[in-house]
Amino acid sequence: MNRILTPREKEIFDLLINNLSTKDIASKLNISEKTVRNHISNVMQKLGVKGRATAVVELLKLKEISI
């Protein structure tokens, strides 16, 4: 099965579902907040959704991430 997420995108969404903010994720991964937002936007675009919550739901359905 082809994965939708890159390893970095998966890492970011795993942190997002653990209730970390964009700022917290950036700090933890030593990247800028803009880079975090870009990764999230890329995933939303790949999935064709408008919003982080909808992206999380779709990724859960696709078994790309788990809670």
Short mmCIF file of all heavy atoms in Angstrom, two decimals:
data_model
loop_
_atom_site.label_atom_id
_atom_site.label_comp_id
_atom_site.label_asym_id
_atom_site.label_seq_id
_atom_site.Cartn_x
_atom_site.Cartn_y
_atom_site.Cartn_z
N MET A 1 0.84 -1.19 0.00
CA MET A 1 0.00 0.00 0.00
C MET A 1 0.88 1.25 0.00
O MET A 1 1.82 1.36 0.77
CB MET A 1 -0.87 -0.03 1.27
CG MET A 1 -1.70 1.20 1.48
SD MET A 1 -2.77 0.93 2.91
CE MET A 1 -2.89 2.59 3.45
N ASN A 2 0.58 2.15 -0.88
CA ASN A 2 1.34 3.41 -0.93
C ASN A 2 0.95 4.30 0.23
O ASN A 2 -0.22 4.50 0.49
CB ASN A 2 1.06 4.15 -2.24
CG ASN A 2 1.92 3.66 -3.37
OD1 ASN A 2 2.88 2.94 -3.14
ND2 ASN A 2 1.59 4.04 -4.58
N ARG A 3 1.93 4.83 0.88
CA ARG A 3 1.70 5.75 1.97
C ARG A 3 1.46 7.14 1.42
O ARG A 3 2.11 7.55 0.46
CB ARG A 3 2.89 5.76 2.93
CG ARG A 3 3.01 4.47 3.71
CD ARG A 3 2.02 4.48 4.82
NE ARG A 3 2.00 3.23 5.52
CZ ARG A 3 0.91 2.77 6.12
NH1 ARG A 3 -0.22 3.42 6.05
NH2 ARG A 3 0.95 1.66 6.78
N ILE A 4 0.55 7.85 2.04
CA ILE A 4 0.26 9.23 1.64
C ILE A 4 1.26 10.19 2.27
O ILE A 4 1.72 11.13 1.64
CB ILE A 4 -1.18 9.61 2.04
CG1 ILE A 4 -2.17 8.80 1.21
CG2 ILE A 4 -1.43 11.10 1.88
CD1 ILE A 4 -3.59 8.90 1.69
N LEU A 5 1.59 9.92 3.52
CA LEU A 5 2.44 10.84 4.28
C LEU A 5 3.92 10.53 4.12
O LEU A 5 4.31 9.37 4.10
CB LEU A 5 2.10 10.76 5.77
CG LEU A 5 0.69 11.09 6.19
CD1 LEU A 5 0.54 10.91 7.70
CD2 LEU A 5 0.32 12.50 5.80
N THR A 6 4.71 11.59 4.06
CA THR A 6 6.16 11.42 4.18
C THR A 6 6.45 11.14 5.66
O THR A 6 5.60 11.42 6.52
CB THR A 6 6.91 12.69 3.76
OG1 THR A 6 6.61 13.73 4.69
CG2 THR A 6 6.56 13.12 2.34
N PRO A 7 7.62 10.61 5.98
CA PRO A 7 7.94 10.39 7.40
C PRO A 7 7.80 11.66 8.25
O PRO A 7 7.29 11.62 9.36
CB PRO A 7 9.37 9.88 7.36
CG PRO A 7 9.48 9.21 6.02
CD PRO A 7 8.63 10.06 5.10
N ARG A 8 8.21 12.81 7.72
CA ARG A 8 8.12 14.06 8.47
C ARG A 8 6.67 14.48 8.67
O ARG A 8 6.28 14.93 9.75
CB ARG A 8 8.91 15.16 7.76
CG ARG A 8 8.88 16.49 8.49
CD ARG A 8 9.47 16.38 9.89
NE ARG A 8 10.72 17.09 9.93
CZ ARG A 8 11.55 17.08 10.95
NH1 ARG A 8 11.28 16.39 12.03
NH2 ARG A 8 12.67 17.75 10.91
N GLU A 9 5.85 14.33 7.63
CA GLU A 9 4.44 14.68 7.77
C GLU A 9 3.77 13.80 8.81
O GLU A 9 2.98 14.28 9.63
CB GLU A 9 3.72 14.52 6.41
CG GLU A 9 4.11 15.57 5.40
CD GLU A 9 3.68 15.27 3.99
OE1 GLU A 9 3.26 14.13 3.70
OE2 GLU A 9 3.77 16.18 3.15
N LYS A 10 4.11 12.52 8.81
CA LYS A 10 3.54 11.60 9.81
C LYS A 10 3.95 12.04 11.21
O LYS A 10 3.14 12.07 12.13
CB LYS A 10 3.97 10.16 9.55
CG LYS A 10 3.37 9.20 10.57
CD LYS A 10 3.71 7.78 10.29
CE LYS A 10 3.09 6.78 11.26
NZ LYS A 10 2.52 7.26 12.47
N GLU A 11 5.21 12.39 11.35
CA GLU A 11 5.72 12.84 12.64
C GLU A 11 4.93 14.07 13.13
O GLU A 11 4.52 14.14 14.29
CB GLU A 11 7.21 13.19 12.47
CG GLU A 11 7.98 13.41 13.71
CD GLU A 11 9.48 13.58 13.43
OE1 GLU A 11 9.87 13.93 12.29
OE2 GLU A 11 10.25 13.37 14.38
N ILE A 12 4.69 15.00 12.23
CA ILE A 12 3.96 16.23 12.59
C ILE A 12 2.52 15.90 12.96
O ILE A 12 2.01 16.39 13.98
CB ILE A 12 4.04 17.26 11.45
CG1 ILE A 12 5.47 17.84 11.43
CG2 ILE A 12 2.99 18.37 11.60
CD1 ILE A 12 5.81 18.69 10.23
N PHE A 13 1.85 15.06 12.20
CA PHE A 13 0.45 14.73 12.53
C PHE A 13 0.36 13.89 13.80
O PHE A 13 -0.60 14.03 14.56
CB PHE A 13 -0.27 14.09 11.35
CG PHE A 13 -0.92 15.12 10.47
CD1 PHE A 13 -0.20 15.74 9.46
CD2 PHE A 13 -2.24 15.50 10.67
CE1 PHE A 13 -0.78 16.73 8.67
CE2 PHE A 13 -2.83 16.48 9.88
CZ PHE A 13 -2.10 17.10 8.89
N ASP A 14 1.35 13.05 14.06
CA ASP A 14 1.36 12.31 15.32
C ASP A 14 1.45 13.28 16.50
O ASP A 14 0.79 13.08 17.53
CB ASP A 14 2.53 11.32 15.37
CG ASP A 14 2.28 10.07 14.53
OD1 ASP A 14 1.11 9.78 14.21
OD2 ASP A 14 3.27 9.39 14.19
N LEU A 15 2.24 14.33 16.35
CA LEU A 15 2.35 15.34 17.42
C LEU A 15 1.07 16.18 17.50
O LEU A 15 0.62 16.53 18.60
CB LEU A 15 3.58 16.21 17.19
CG LEU A 15 4.92 15.49 17.33
CD1 LEU A 15 6.07 16.37 16.86
CD2 LEU A 15 5.15 15.04 18.76
N LEU A 16 0.50 16.49 16.35
CA LEU A 16 -0.75 17.28 16.33
C LEU A 16 -1.87 16.57 17.08
O LEU A 16 -2.59 17.20 17.85
CB LEU A 16 -1.20 17.48 14.88
CG LEU A 16 -1.07 18.83 14.22
CD1 LEU A 16 -1.74 18.80 12.86
CD2 LEU A 16 -1.58 19.96 15.04
N ILE A 17 -2.02 15.28 16.85
CA ILE A 17 -3.12 14.56 17.51
C ILE A 17 -2.84 14.36 18.99
O ILE A 17 -3.74 14.00 19.74
CB ILE A 17 -3.47 13.22 16.82
CG1 ILE A 17 -2.30 12.25 16.86
CG2 ILE A 17 -3.96 13.44 15.41
CD1 ILE A 17 -2.64 10.86 16.36
N ASN A 18 -1.62 14.62 19.41
CA ASN A 18 -1.29 14.59 20.84
C ASN A 18 -1.40 15.99 21.45
O ASN A 18 -0.81 16.27 22.49
CB ASN A 18 0.09 13.98 21.07
CG ASN A 18 0.04 12.48 20.93
OD1 ASN A 18 -0.74 11.81 21.60
ND2 ASN A 18 0.83 11.95 20.02
N ASN A 19 -2.12 16.85 20.75
CA ASN A 19 -2.49 18.18 21.25
C ASN A 19 -1.32 19.16 21.36
O ASN A 19 -1.37 20.08 22.17
CB ASN A 19 -3.21 18.04 22.60
CG ASN A 19 -4.27 19.09 22.78
OD1 ASN A 19 -4.77 19.64 21.80
ND2 ASN A 19 -4.60 19.39 24.01
N LEU A 20 -0.28 18.97 20.56
CA LEU A 20 0.80 19.96 20.53
C LEU A 20 0.43 21.07 19.55
O LEU A 20 -0.18 20.81 18.51
CB LEU A 20 2.12 19.31 20.09
CG LEU A 20 3.01 18.78 21.22
CD1 LEU A 20 2.38 17.56 21.85
CD2 LEU A 20 4.39 18.48 20.71
N SER A 21 0.81 22.27 19.89
CA SER A 21 0.56 23.41 19.01
C SER A 21 1.61 23.44 17.90
O SER A 21 2.63 22.75 17.98
CB SER A 21 0.63 24.71 19.81
OG SER A 21 1.97 24.93 20.23
N THR A 22 1.34 24.26 16.91
CA THR A 22 2.31 24.45 15.83
C THR A 22 3.65 24.88 16.41
O THR A 22 4.71 24.38 16.03
CB THR A 22 1.79 25.51 14.83
OG1 THR A 22 0.54 25.06 14.31
CG2 THR A 22 2.77 25.71 13.67
N LYS A 23 3.60 25.80 17.36
CA LYS A 23 4.82 26.30 18.00
C LYS A 23 5.56 25.19 18.74
O LYS A 23 6.78 25.06 18.64
CB LYS A 23 4.45 27.43 18.97
CG LYS A 23 5.63 28.10 19.61
CD LYS A 23 5.18 29.27 20.47
CE LYS A 23 6.37 29.98 21.06
NZ LYS A 23 6.00 31.19 21.79
N ASP A 24 4.81 24.36 19.48
CA ASP A 24 5.42 23.24 20.22
C ASP A 24 6.05 22.22 19.27
O ASP A 24 7.14 21.71 19.53
CB ASP A 24 4.37 22.52 21.08
CG ASP A 24 3.85 23.39 22.21
OD1 ASP A 24 4.54 24.34 22.62
OD2 ASP A 24 2.72 23.11 22.69
N ILE A 25 5.35 21.93 18.18
CA ILE A 25 5.88 20.97 17.20
C ILE A 25 7.17 21.51 16.58
O ILE A 25 8.16 20.79 16.47
CB ILE A 25 4.83 20.67 16.11
CG1 ILE A 25 3.63 19.93 16.72
CG2 ILE A 25 5.44 19.86 14.97
CD1 ILE A 25 2.42 19.82 15.81
N ALA A 26 7.15 22.78 16.20
CA ALA A 26 8.34 23.41 15.61
C ALA A 26 9.52 23.32 16.57
O ALA A 26 10.63 22.95 16.17
CB ALA A 26 8.04 24.86 15.25
N SER A 27 9.27 23.63 17.81
CA SER A 27 10.33 23.60 18.82
C SER A 27 10.87 22.18 19.00
O SER A 27 12.08 21.97 19.03
CB SER A 27 9.78 24.15 20.13
OG SER A 27 10.74 24.06 21.14
N LYS A 28 9.96 21.23 19.11
CA LYS A 28 10.36 19.83 19.34
C LYS A 28 11.18 19.27 18.18
O LYS A 28 12.12 18.51 18.38
CB LYS A 28 9.11 18.98 19.56
CG LYS A 28 9.37 17.55 19.94
CD LYS A 28 8.08 16.85 20.32
CE LYS A 28 8.31 15.44 20.74
NZ LYS A 28 8.80 15.30 22.10
N LEU A 29 10.83 19.67 16.95
CA LEU A 29 11.50 19.13 15.77
C LEU A 29 12.64 20.03 15.25
O LEU A 29 13.25 19.73 14.24
CB LEU A 29 10.48 18.90 14.65
CG LEU A 29 9.36 17.90 14.96
CD1 LEU A 29 8.41 17.80 13.78
CD2 LEU A 29 9.92 16.54 15.33
N ASN A 30 12.85 21.16 15.94
CA ASN A 30 13.88 22.11 15.52
C ASN A 30 13.69 22.62 14.10
O ASN A 30 14.63 22.67 13.30
CB ASN A 30 15.29 21.52 15.68
CG ASN A 30 15.69 21.41 17.13
OD1 ASN A 30 15.43 22.32 17.92
ND2 ASN A 30 16.30 20.30 17.48
N ILE A 31 12.43 22.94 13.78
CA ILE A 31 12.10 23.54 12.49
C ILE A 31 11.24 24.77 12.77
O ILE A 31 10.78 24.97 13.89
CB ILE A 31 11.38 22.55 11.55
CG1 ILE A 31 10.09 22.02 12.19
CG2 ILE A 31 12.31 21.40 11.15
CD1 ILE A 31 9.28 21.08 11.30
N SER A 32 11.02 25.59 11.76
CA SER A 32 10.23 26.81 11.96
C SER A 32 8.74 26.48 11.99
O SER A 32 8.31 25.45 11.46
CB SER A 32 10.52 27.83 10.86
OG SER A 32 9.91 27.42 9.65
N GLU A 33 7.96 27.37 12.59
CA GLU A 33 6.51 27.21 12.61
C GLU A 33 5.97 27.21 11.18
O GLU A 33 5.03 26.48 10.86
CB GLU A 33 5.85 28.32 13.42
CG GLU A 33 6.10 28.19 14.91
CD GLU A 33 5.44 29.30 15.71
OE1 GLU A 33 4.20 29.45 15.60
OE2 GLU A 33 6.16 30.01 16.43
N LYS A 34 6.58 28.02 10.33
CA LYS A 34 6.14 28.08 8.92
C LYS A 34 6.33 26.72 8.25
O LYS A 34 5.47 26.28 7.48
CB LYS A 34 6.92 29.17 8.17
CG LYS A 34 6.49 29.26 6.70
CD LYS A 34 6.95 30.55 6.06
CE LYS A 34 6.61 30.67 4.60
NZ LYS A 34 5.44 30.03 4.11
N THR A 35 7.42 26.05 8.54
CA THR A 35 7.67 24.73 7.96
C THR A 35 6.61 23.73 8.44
O THR A 35 6.10 22.93 7.66
CB THR A 35 9.09 24.23 8.32
OG1 THR A 35 10.03 25.18 7.80
CG2 THR A 35 9.38 22.86 7.74
N VAL A 36 6.27 23.81 9.72
CA VAL A 36 5.21 22.93 10.26
C VAL A 36 3.90 23.20 9.51
O VAL A 36 3.24 22.27 9.04
CB VAL A 36 5.01 23.15 11.78
CG1 VAL A 36 3.81 22.36 12.28
CG2 VAL A 36 6.27 22.76 12.55
N ARG A 37 3.55 24.47 9.37
CA ARG A 37 2.31 24.83 8.67
C ARG A 37 2.35 24.37 7.21
O ARG A 37 1.33 23.92 6.67
CB ARG A 37 2.04 26.33 8.76
CG ARG A 37 1.59 26.78 10.14
CD ARG A 37 1.07 28.21 10.14
NE ARG A 37 2.07 29.18 9.75
CZ ARG A 37 2.94 29.77 10.57
NH1 ARG A 37 2.91 29.50 11.86
NH2 ARG A 37 3.82 30.63 10.11
N ASN A 38 3.52 24.47 6.58
CA ASN A 38 3.65 24.02 5.18
C ASN A 38 3.40 22.52 5.07
O ASN A 38 2.72 22.06 4.15
CB ASN A 38 5.03 24.36 4.62
CG ASN A 38 5.17 25.83 4.29
OD1 ASN A 38 4.19 26.56 4.20
ND2 ASN A 38 6.41 26.27 4.14
N HIS A 39 3.96 21.74 6.00
CA HIS A 39 3.75 20.29 5.98
C HIS A 39 2.26 19.97 6.15
O HIS A 39 1.72 19.12 5.44
CB HIS A 39 4.55 19.59 7.08
CG HIS A 39 6.00 19.43 6.78
ND1 HIS A 39 6.47 18.73 5.69
CD2 HIS A 39 7.11 19.87 7.43
CE1 HIS A 39 7.79 18.74 5.68
NE2 HIS A 39 8.21 19.44 6.72
N ILE A 40 1.62 20.66 7.08
CA ILE A 40 0.20 20.42 7.32
C ILE A 40 -0.61 20.79 6.08
O ILE A 40 -1.50 20.04 5.65
CB ILE A 40 -0.28 21.20 8.57
CG1 ILE A 40 0.39 20.62 9.82
CG2 ILE A 40 -1.81 21.15 8.69
CD1 ILE A 40 0.26 21.47 11.07
N SER A 41 -0.29 21.94 5.47
CA SER A 41 -0.98 22.37 4.25
C SER A 41 -0.78 21.37 3.11
O SER A 41 -1.73 21.08 2.36
CB SER A 41 -0.47 23.74 3.79
OG SER A 41 -0.85 24.72 4.72
N ASN A 42 0.43 20.85 2.97
CA ASN A 42 0.70 19.86 1.93
C ASN A 42 -0.16 18.62 2.10
O ASN A 42 -0.69 18.08 1.13
CB ASN A 42 2.18 19.46 1.93
CG ASN A 42 3.09 20.57 1.45
OD1 ASN A 42 2.64 21.52 0.81
ND2 ASN A 42 4.37 20.46 1.76
N VAL A 43 -0.31 18.18 3.35
CA VAL A 43 -1.13 17.00 3.62
C VAL A 43 -2.59 17.29 3.30
O VAL A 43 -3.27 16.47 2.66
CB VAL A 43 -0.96 16.52 5.08
CG1 VAL A 43 -1.98 15.43 5.42
CG2 VAL A 43 0.46 16.02 5.32
N MET A 44 -3.08 18.46 3.71
CA MET A 44 -4.47 18.82 3.42
C MET A 44 -4.70 18.86 1.92
O MET A 44 -5.75 18.41 1.44
CB MET A 44 -4.83 20.16 4.08
CG MET A 44 -4.88 20.06 5.60
SD MET A 44 -5.49 21.52 6.50
CE MET A 44 -4.74 22.89 5.68
N GLN A 45 -3.73 19.37 1.19
CA GLN A 45 -3.85 19.42 -0.27
C GLN A 45 -3.86 18.01 -0.87
O GLN A 45 -4.67 17.71 -1.75
CB GLN A 45 -2.69 20.25 -0.84
CG GLN A 45 -2.88 20.62 -2.29
CD GLN A 45 -1.84 21.62 -2.76
OE1 GLN A 45 -0.81 21.81 -2.13
NE2 GLN A 45 -2.12 22.26 -3.87
N LYS A 46 -2.99 17.14 -0.39
CA LYS A 46 -2.96 15.76 -0.88
C LYS A 46 -4.29 15.07 -0.67
O LYS A 46 -4.74 14.28 -1.50
CB LYS A 46 -1.89 14.93 -0.12
CG LYS A 46 -0.46 15.21 -0.49
CD LYS A 46 0.43 14.28 0.33
CE LYS A 46 1.87 14.69 0.32
NZ LYS A 46 2.71 13.77 1.11
N LEU A 47 -4.92 15.35 0.48
CA LEU A 47 -6.18 14.71 0.83
C LEU A 47 -7.39 15.41 0.23
O LEU A 47 -8.49 14.86 0.24
CB LEU A 47 -6.34 14.67 2.36
CG LEU A 47 -5.33 13.82 3.13
CD1 LEU A 47 -5.44 14.08 4.61
CD2 LEU A 47 -5.53 12.33 2.82
N GLY A 48 -7.18 16.64 -0.23
CA GLY A 48 -8.30 17.42 -0.77
C GLY A 48 -9.26 17.89 0.30
O GLY A 48 -10.47 17.90 0.08
N VAL A 49 -8.73 18.23 1.47
CA VAL A 49 -9.58 18.69 2.58
C VAL A 49 -9.19 20.11 2.98
O VAL A 49 -8.10 20.58 2.67
CB VAL A 49 -9.49 17.75 3.81
CG1 VAL A 49 -9.97 16.36 3.43
CG2 VAL A 49 -8.09 17.70 4.38
N LYS A 50 -10.11 20.77 3.69
CA LYS A 50 -9.87 22.14 4.14
C LYS A 50 -9.92 22.18 5.65
O LYS A 50 -10.96 22.46 6.22
CB LYS A 50 -10.95 23.08 3.60
CG LYS A 50 -10.94 23.26 2.10
CD LYS A 50 -12.01 24.25 1.70
CE LYS A 50 -12.29 24.28 0.24
NZ LYS A 50 -11.37 24.91 -0.60
N GLY A 51 -8.83 21.86 6.28
CA GLY A 51 -8.79 21.94 7.74
C GLY A 51 -8.02 20.79 8.35
O GLY A 51 -8.04 19.66 7.84
N ARG A 52 -7.37 21.11 9.44
CA ARG A 52 -6.55 20.11 10.13
C ARG A 52 -7.39 18.97 10.67
O ARG A 52 -7.00 17.80 10.57
CB ARG A 52 -5.80 20.76 11.30
CG ARG A 52 -4.78 21.77 10.85
CD ARG A 52 -4.16 22.45 12.05
NE ARG A 52 -3.17 23.42 11.59
CZ ARG A 52 -2.15 23.84 12.32
NH1 ARG A 52 -1.99 23.43 13.55
NH2 ARG A 52 -1.29 24.69 11.83
N ALA A 53 -8.53 19.31 11.27
CA ALA A 53 -9.37 18.28 11.87
C ALA A 53 -9.84 17.28 10.82
O ALA A 53 -9.81 16.06 11.04
CB ALA A 53 -10.56 18.91 12.59
N THR A 54 -10.27 17.79 9.68
CA THR A 54 -10.72 16.91 8.59
C THR A 54 -9.56 16.06 8.08
O THR A 54 -9.74 14.88 7.78
CB THR A 54 -11.33 17.73 7.44
OG1 THR A 54 -12.28 18.64 7.99
CG2 THR A 54 -12.00 16.85 6.42
N ALA A 55 -8.37 16.65 8.01
CA ALA A 55 -7.19 15.88 7.59
C ALA A 55 -6.93 14.74 8.56
O ALA A 55 -6.66 13.61 8.14
CB ALA A 55 -5.98 16.80 7.48
N VAL A 56 -7.03 15.02 9.86
CA VAL A 56 -6.81 13.99 10.87
C VAL A 56 -7.82 12.86 10.70
O VAL A 56 -7.46 11.67 10.70
CB VAL A 56 -6.86 14.58 12.30
CG1 VAL A 56 -6.94 13.47 13.36
CG2 VAL A 56 -5.66 15.47 12.55
N VAL A 57 -9.10 13.20 10.52
CA VAL A 57 -10.14 12.18 10.33
C VAL A 57 -9.82 11.32 9.11
O VAL A 57 -9.89 10.08 9.18
CB VAL A 57 -11.54 12.84 10.20
CG1 VAL A 57 -12.58 11.82 9.76
CG2 VAL A 57 -11.94 13.49 11.51
N GLU A 58 -9.46 11.94 8.01
CA GLU A 58 -9.14 11.19 6.79
C GLU A 58 -7.92 10.30 6.99
O GLU A 58 -7.90 9.15 6.55
CB GLU A 58 -8.92 12.13 5.60
CG GLU A 58 -10.19 12.78 5.10
CD GLU A 58 -11.26 11.79 4.68
OE1 GLU A 58 -10.95 10.81 3.96
OE2 GLU A 58 -12.42 11.98 5.09
N LEU A 59 -6.90 10.82 7.65
CA LEU A 59 -5.69 10.02 7.89
C LEU A 59 -5.97 8.84 8.80
O LEU A 59 -5.41 7.76 8.62
CB LEU A 59 -4.58 10.91 8.49
CG LEU A 59 -4.02 11.96 7.52
CD1 LEU A 59 -3.12 12.93 8.27
CD2 LEU A 59 -3.28 11.31 6.37
N LEU A 60 -6.87 9.02 9.76
CA LEU A 60 -7.28 7.90 10.62
C LEU A 60 -8.01 6.84 9.80
O LEU A 60 -7.73 5.64 9.93
CB LEU A 60 -8.17 8.39 11.76
CG LEU A 60 -7.46 9.20 12.85
CD1 LEU A 60 -8.47 9.89 13.75
CD2 LEU A 60 -6.53 8.30 13.67
N LYS A 61 -8.94 7.28 8.95
CA LYS A 61 -9.68 6.35 8.09
C LYS A 61 -8.74 5.55 7.19
O LYS A 61 -8.95 4.37 6.95
CB LYS A 61 -10.67 7.10 7.20
CG LYS A 61 -11.90 7.60 7.89
CD LYS A 61 -12.81 8.24 6.84
CE LYS A 61 -13.92 9.06 7.44
NZ LYS A 61 -14.66 9.79 6.42
N LEU A 62 -7.71 6.23 6.68
CA LEU A 62 -6.74 5.60 5.78
C LEU A 62 -5.67 4.80 6.54
O LEU A 62 -4.78 4.22 5.93
CB LEU A 62 -6.06 6.66 4.92
CG LEU A 62 -7.00 7.40 3.94
CD1 LEU A 62 -6.31 8.64 3.39
CD2 LEU A 62 -7.44 6.46 2.83
N LYS A 63 -5.76 4.83 7.86
CA LYS A 63 -4.79 4.13 8.73
C LYS A 63 -3.35 4.65 8.55
O LYS A 63 -2.38 3.92 8.69
CB LYS A 63 -4.85 2.62 8.54
CG LYS A 63 -6.20 2.04 8.94
CD LYS A 63 -6.21 0.55 8.83
CE LYS A 63 -7.44 -0.17 9.29
NZ LYS A 63 -8.66 0.47 9.51
N GLU A 64 -3.26 5.94 8.20
CA GLU A 64 -1.95 6.59 8.08
C GLU A 64 -1.43 6.98 9.47
O GLU A 64 -0.23 7.04 9.69
CB GLU A 64 -2.04 7.84 7.21
CG GLU A 64 -2.17 7.56 5.74
CD GLU A 64 -0.85 7.18 5.09
OE1 GLU A 64 0.22 7.64 5.54
OE2 GLU A 64 -0.87 6.41 4.13
N ILE A 65 -2.37 7.31 10.35
CA ILE A 65 -2.03 7.65 11.73
C ILE A 65 -2.99 6.89 12.63
O ILE A 65 -4.03 6.40 12.17
CB ILE A 65 -2.12 9.16 12.03
CG1 ILE A 65 -3.52 9.70 11.73
CG2 ILE A 65 -1.06 9.94 11.25
CD1 ILE A 65 -3.73 11.16 12.15
N SER A 66 -2.65 6.79 13.91
CA SER A 66 -3.57 6.16 14.86
C SER A 66 -3.51 6.92 16.18
O SER A 66 -2.51 7.58 16.47
CB SER A 66 -3.21 4.69 15.07
OG SER A 66 -1.89 4.59 15.54
N ILE A 67 -4.60 6.83 16.89
CA ILE A 67 -4.69 7.52 18.18
C ILE A 67 -4.29 6.57 19.28
O ILE A 67 -4.66 5.43 19.29
CB ILE A 67 -6.12 8.07 18.42
CG1 ILE A 67 -6.44 9.13 17.37
CG2 ILE A 67 -6.27 8.62 19.82
CD1 ILE A 67 -7.83 9.72 17.45
#
